Coordinates of all heavy atoms in Angstrom, one line a residue:
D1211 N 112.8 100.4 75.9 CA 114.2 100.3 76.2 C 114.6 98.9 76.7 O 115.6 98.4 76.5 CB 114.6 101.3 77.3 CG 116.0 101.3 77.5 OD1 116.8 101.5 76.6 OD2 116.5 101.3 78.7
A1212 N 113.5 98.2 77.2 CA 113.7 96.8 77.6 C 113.5 95.8 76.5 O 113.7 94.6 76.7 CB 112.7 96.5 78.8
G1213 N 113.1 96.3 75.3 CA 113.1 95.4 74.2 C 111.8 95.1 73.6 O 111.6 94.4 72.6
F1214 N 110.7 95.7 74.1 CA 109.4 95.6 73.5 C 109.4 96.3 72.1 O 109.6 97.5 72.1 CB 108.3 96.1 74.5 CG 108.0 95.3 75.6 CD1 108.7 95.4 76.7 CD2 106.9 94.4 75.5 CE1 108.4 94.5 77.9 CE2 106.6 93.5 76.5 CZ 107.3 93.5 77.7
Q1215 N 109.0 95.6 71.1 CA 109.0 96.2 69.8 C 107.8 97.1 69.5 O 108.0 98.1 68.7 CB 109.1 95.0 68.7 CG 110.3 94.2 68.8 CD 110.0 92.7 69.2 OE1 108.9 92.6 69.9 NE2 110.8 91.8 69.0
S1216 N 106.8 96.8 70.1 CA 105.5 97.6 69.8 C 105.0 98.0 71.2 O 104.7 97.1 72.1 CB 104.4 96.7 69.1 OG 103.2 97.5 69.1
V1217 N 104.9 99.3 71.4 CA 104.4 99.9 72.7 C 103.4 101.0 72.3 O 103.7 102.0 71.7 CB 105.5 100.5 73.5 CG1 105.0 101.0 74.9 CG2 106.6 99.4 73.8
T1218 N 102.2 100.7 72.6 CA 101.1 101.7 72.3 C 100.4 102.3 73.4 O 99.9 101.5 74.3 CB 100.1 100.9 71.3 OG1 100.8 100.2 70.3 CG2 99.1 101.8 70.8
R1219 N 100.2 103.5 73.4 CA 99.3 104.2 74.4 C 97.9 104.0 74.0 O 97.4 104.1 72.9 CB 99.6 105.7 74.4 CG 98.8 106.6 75.4 CD 99.0 108.1 75.1 NE 98.3 108.9 76.0 CZ 97.0 109.2 75.9 NH1 96.2 108.8 74.9 NH2 96.4 110.0 76.8
M1220 N 97.2 103.5 75.1 CA 95.7 103.2 74.9 C 94.9 104.1 75.6 O 94.7 104.1 76.9 CB 95.5 101.7 75.4 CG 96.4 100.7 74.8 SD 96.1 100.4 73.1 CE 94.7 99.4 73.1
P1221 N 94.2 105.1 74.9 CA 93.3 106.0 75.5 C 92.2 105.4 76.1 O 91.6 104.3 75.7 CB 92.9 106.9 74.4 CG 93.8 106.7 73.3 CD 94.3 105.3 73.4
T1222 N 91.7 105.9 77.3 CA 90.5 105.4 78.0 C 89.7 106.7 78.4 O 90.2 107.8 78.2 CB 90.8 104.6 79.2 OG1 91.1 105.4 80.2 CG2 91.8 103.5 78.9
D1223 N 88.6 106.4 79.0 CA 87.8 107.6 79.6 C 88.4 108.1 80.8 O 87.9 109.1 81.4 CB 86.3 107.1 79.8 CG 85.5 106.8 78.6 OD1 85.9 107.4 77.5 OD2 84.6 106.1 78.7
G1224 N 89.5 107.5 81.3 CA 90.3 108.0 82.3 C 91.7 108.2 82.0 O 92.1 108.7 81.0
A1225 N 92.6 107.6 82.8 CA 94.1 107.6 82.6 C 94.4 106.7 81.5 O 93.8 105.6 81.4 CB 94.9 107.3 83.8
P1226 N 95.4 106.9 80.7 CA 95.7 106.0 79.6 C 96.3 104.7 80.0 O 96.9 104.6 81.1 CB 96.7 106.8 78.7 CG 97.3 107.8 79.7 CD 96.3 108.2 80.6
G1227 N 96.0 103.6 79.2 CA 96.7 102.4 79.4 C 97.8 102.1 78.4 O 98.1 103.1 77.6
I1228 N 98.4 101.0 78.4 CA 99.5 100.7 77.6 C 99.4 99.2 77.0 O 99.0 98.4 77.9 CB 100.9 100.8 78.3 CG1 101.1 102.2 78.8 CG2 102.0 100.4 77.4 CD1 102.2 102.4 79.7
F1229 N 99.6 99.0 75.8 CA 99.6 97.7 75.2 C 100.9 97.5 74.5 O 101.4 98.3 73.7 CB 98.5 97.5 74.2 CG 98.5 96.4 73.3 CD1 98.8 95.1 73.9 CD2 98.2 96.5 72.0 CE1 98.8 93.9 73.0 CE2 98.3 95.4 71.1 CZ 98.5 94.1 71.7
A1230 N 101.7 96.4 75.0 CA 103.0 96.3 74.4 C 103.2 94.8 74.1 O 102.7 93.9 74.8 CB 104.1 96.8 75.5
T1231 N 104.0 94.6 73.1 CA 104.4 93.1 72.7 C 105.9 93.0 72.4 O 106.5 93.9 71.9 CB 103.6 92.7 71.5 OG1 103.8 93.6 70.4 CG2 102.1 92.7 71.7
L1232 N 106.4 91.9 72.8 CA 107.8 91.5 72.4 C 107.7 90.2 71.8 O 107.5 89.1 72.4 CB 108.6 91.5 73.7 CG 110.1 91.5 73.6 CD1 110.8 91.8 74.9 CD2 110.6 90.1 73.1
D1233 N 108.1 90.1 70.5 CA 108.1 88.8 69.8 C 109.6 88.3 69.7 O 110.4 89.0 69.0 CB 107.6 89.1 68.3 CG 107.5 87.7 67.5 OD1 107.9 86.7 68.0 OD2 107.0 87.8 66.5
A1234 N 109.8 87.3 70.5 CA 111.2 86.7 70.5 C 111.3 85.5 69.6 O 112.3 84.8 69.6 CB 111.5 86.3 71.9
G1235 N 110.2 85.2 68.9 CA 110.3 84.1 67.9 C 110.1 82.8 68.7 O 110.5 81.7 68.2
A1236 N 109.6 82.8 69.9 CA 109.6 81.7 70.8 C 108.2 80.9 70.5 O 107.3 81.5 70.1 CB 109.6 82.1 72.2
P1237 N 108.2 79.6 70.9 CA 107.0 78.9 70.7 C 105.9 79.2 71.6 O 104.7 78.9 71.4 CB 107.4 77.4 70.9 CG 108.9 77.4 70.9 CD 109.3 78.8 71.3
R1238 N 106.2 79.8 72.7 CA 105.2 80.1 73.8 C 105.2 81.6 74.1 O 106.1 82.3 74.1 CB 105.6 79.3 75.1 CG 104.4 79.0 76.0 CD 104.7 77.9 77.0 NE 103.5 77.6 77.8 CZ 103.1 78.4 78.8 NH1 103.8 79.5 79.1 NH2 102.0 78.1 79.5
T1239 N 104.0 82.1 74.4 CA 103.7 83.4 74.7 C 103.0 83.5 76.1 O 102.2 82.8 76.5 CB 102.7 84.0 73.7 OG1 103.3 83.9 72.4 CG2 102.5 85.5 73.9
V1240 N 103.6 84.6 76.8 CA 103.2 84.8 78.2 C 102.7 86.2 78.3 O 103.2 87.1 77.8 CB 104.4 84.6 79.2 CG1 104.1 85.1 80.6 CG2 104.9 83.2 79.2
G1241 N 101.6 86.4 79.1 CA 101.0 87.7 79.4 C 101.4 88.3 80.7 O 101.8 87.6 81.6
L1242 N 101.6 89.7 80.7 CA 102.0 90.4 81.8 C 101.0 91.6 82.1 O 100.6 92.3 81.2 CB 103.4 91.0 81.6 CG 104.6 90.2 81.7 CD1 105.9 90.8 81.1 CD2 104.9 89.9 83.3
Y1243 N 100.9 91.9 83.4 CA 100.1 93.0 83.8 C 101.0 93.9 84.6 O 101.7 93.6 85.5 CB 99.0 92.5 84.8 CG 98.3 93.7 85.5 CD1 97.3 94.5 84.9 CD2 98.7 94.0 86.8 CE1 96.7 95.5 85.5 CE2 98.0 95.0 87.5 CZ 97.1 95.8 86.8 OH 96.4 96.9 87.5
F1244 N 101.0 95.3 84.3 CA 101.7 96.2 84.9 C 100.7 97.4 85.4 O 99.7 97.6 84.7 CB 102.7 97.0 84.1 CG 104.2 96.3 84.1 CD1 104.3 95.0 84.4 CD2 105.2 97.1 83.8 CE1 105.6 94.4 84.4 CE2 106.5 96.5 83.8 CZ 106.7 95.2 84.1
M1245 N 101.1 98.1 86.4 CA 100.4 99.4 86.7 C 101.5 100.5 86.9 O 102.6 100.1 87.4 CB 99.7 99.2 88.0 CG 100.4 98.6 89.2 SD 99.5 98.3 90.7 CE 99.5 100.1 91.4
Y1246 N 101.1 101.6 86.6 CA 102.1 102.7 86.8 C 101.7 103.9 87.7 O 102.4 104.8 87.9 CB 102.5 103.3 85.4 CG 101.5 104.1 84.6 CD1 101.3 105.4 84.9 CD2 100.8 103.4 83.7 CE1 100.2 106.1 84.2 CE2 99.7 104.1 82.9 CZ 99.5 105.5 83.2 OH 98.5 106.2 82.6
D1247 N 100.4 103.7 88.3 CA 100.0 104.6 89.2 C 100.4 104.2 90.6 O 100.7 103.1 91.0 CB 98.4 104.9 89.1 CG 97.7 103.6 89.4 OD1 98.1 102.6 88.9 OD2 96.6 103.8 90.1
V1248 N 100.4 105.1 91.5 CA 100.8 105.0 92.9 C 99.6 105.6 93.8 O 98.8 106.5 93.4 CB 102.1 105.5 93.3 CG1 103.1 104.8 92.5 CG2 102.2 107.0 93.1
K1249 N 99.7 105.3 95.1 CA 98.8 105.9 96.1 C 99.3 107.4 96.5 O 100.4 107.7 96.3 CB 98.7 105.1 97.4 CG 97.7 103.9 97.3 CD 96.3 104.5 97.3 CE 95.3 103.4 97.3 NZ 93.9 103.9 97.2
Q1250 N 98.3 108.0 97.2 CA 98.6 109.4 97.6 C 99.6 109.3 98.7 O 99.8 108.3 99.4 CB 97.3 110.0 98.1 CG 96.2 110.0 97.1 CD 95.2 108.9 97.2 OE1 95.6 107.7 97.2 NE2 93.9 109.1 97.4
V1251 N 100.1 110.4 99.1 CA 101.1 110.6 100.1 C 100.9 111.9 101.0 O 100.4 112.9 100.5 CB 102.6 110.6 99.6 CG1 103.0 109.3 98.8 CG2 102.8 111.8 98.6
N1252 N 101.5 111.7 102.2 CA 101.6 112.9 103.1 C 103.1 113.0 103.4 O 103.6 112.3 104.3 CB 100.8 112.7 104.3 CG 101.0 113.9 105.3 OD1 101.7 114.8 105.1 ND2 100.2 113.9 106.4
P1253 N 103.8 113.8 102.7 CA 105.3 113.9 103.0 C 105.7 114.0 104.4 O 106.8 113.5 104.8 CB 105.7 115.0 102.1 CG 104.7 115.1 101.0 CD 103.4 114.8 101.7
A1254 N 104.9 114.7 105.2 CA 105.3 114.9 106.6 C 105.4 113.7 107.4 O 106.1 113.6 108.4 CB 104.2 115.9 107.2
E1255 N 104.8 112.5 106.9 CA 104.8 111.3 107.6 C 106.1 110.4 107.3 O 106.3 109.4 107.9 CB 103.6 110.4 107.3 CG 102.2 111.3 107.8 CD 101.0 110.5 107.4 OE1 101.1 109.7 106.3 OE2 100.0 110.7 108.0
W1256 N 106.8 110.9 106.3 CA 108.0 110.0 105.7 C 109.2 110.4 106.2 O 109.5 111.6 106.6 CB 108.0 110.2 104.2 CG 106.9 109.6 103.5 CD1 105.6 109.9 103.6 CD2 106.9 108.5 102.6 NE1 104.8 109.0 102.7 CE2 105.7 108.2 102.0 CE3 108.0 107.7 102.1 CZ2 105.4 107.1 101.1 CZ3 107.8 106.6 101.2 CH2 106.5 106.4 100.7
I1257 N 110.2 109.4 106.5 CA 111.5 109.7 107.0 C 112.4 110.1 105.9 O 113.5 110.7 106.0 CB 112.1 108.5 107.7 CG1 112.2 107.3 106.7 CG2 111.3 108.1 108.9 CD1 113.0 106.1 107.3
S1258 N 112.0 109.9 104.6 CA 112.6 110.4 103.4 C 111.5 110.8 102.4 O 110.5 110.1 102.2 CB 113.4 109.2 102.9 OG 114.0 109.5 101.6
P1259 N 111.8 111.9 101.7 CA 110.8 112.4 100.8 C 110.3 111.4 99.8 O 111.1 110.7 99.2 CB 111.5 113.5 100.0 CG 112.5 114.0 101.0 CD 113.0 112.7 101.7
P1260 N 109.0 111.2 99.7 CA 108.5 110.0 98.9 C 108.7 109.9 97.5 O 108.6 108.9 96.9 CB 106.9 110.1 99.2 CG 106.7 111.5 99.6 CD 107.8 112.0 100.3
F1261 N 109.1 111.0 96.8 CA 109.4 111.1 95.4 C 110.9 111.4 95.1 O 111.3 111.7 94.0 CB 108.4 112.0 94.7 CG 107.0 111.5 94.8 CD1 106.1 112.2 95.5 CD2 106.6 110.4 94.0 CE1 104.8 111.8 95.6 CE2 105.3 110.0 94.2 CZ 104.4 110.7 94.9
E1262 N 111.7 111.2 96.2 CA 113.2 111.3 96.0 C 113.9 110.1 95.7 O 115.0 110.0 95.2 CB 113.9 112.1 97.1 CG 113.4 113.5 97.1 CD 114.3 114.4 98.1 OE1 115.2 113.8 98.7 OE2 114.0 115.6 98.2

Side-chain angles (χ1 to χ4, degrees):
D1211 190 46
F1214 283 85
Q1215 298 110 336
S1216 174
V1217 182
T1218 306
R1219 180 186 182 277
M1220 305 293 280
T1222 75
D1223 291 338
I1228 301 169
F1229 170 47
T1231 57
L1232 193 164
D1233 184 353
R1238 203 163 184 283
T1239 301
V1240 172
L1242 280 162
Y1243 167 82
F1244 269 30
M1245 54 183 278
Y1246 65 87
D1247 62 317
V1248 299
K1249 272 293 185 185
Q1250 306 93 307
V1251 296
N1252 178 357
E1255 299 174 335
W1256 289 64
I1257 61 174
S1258 177
F1261 295 110
E1262 287 190 6

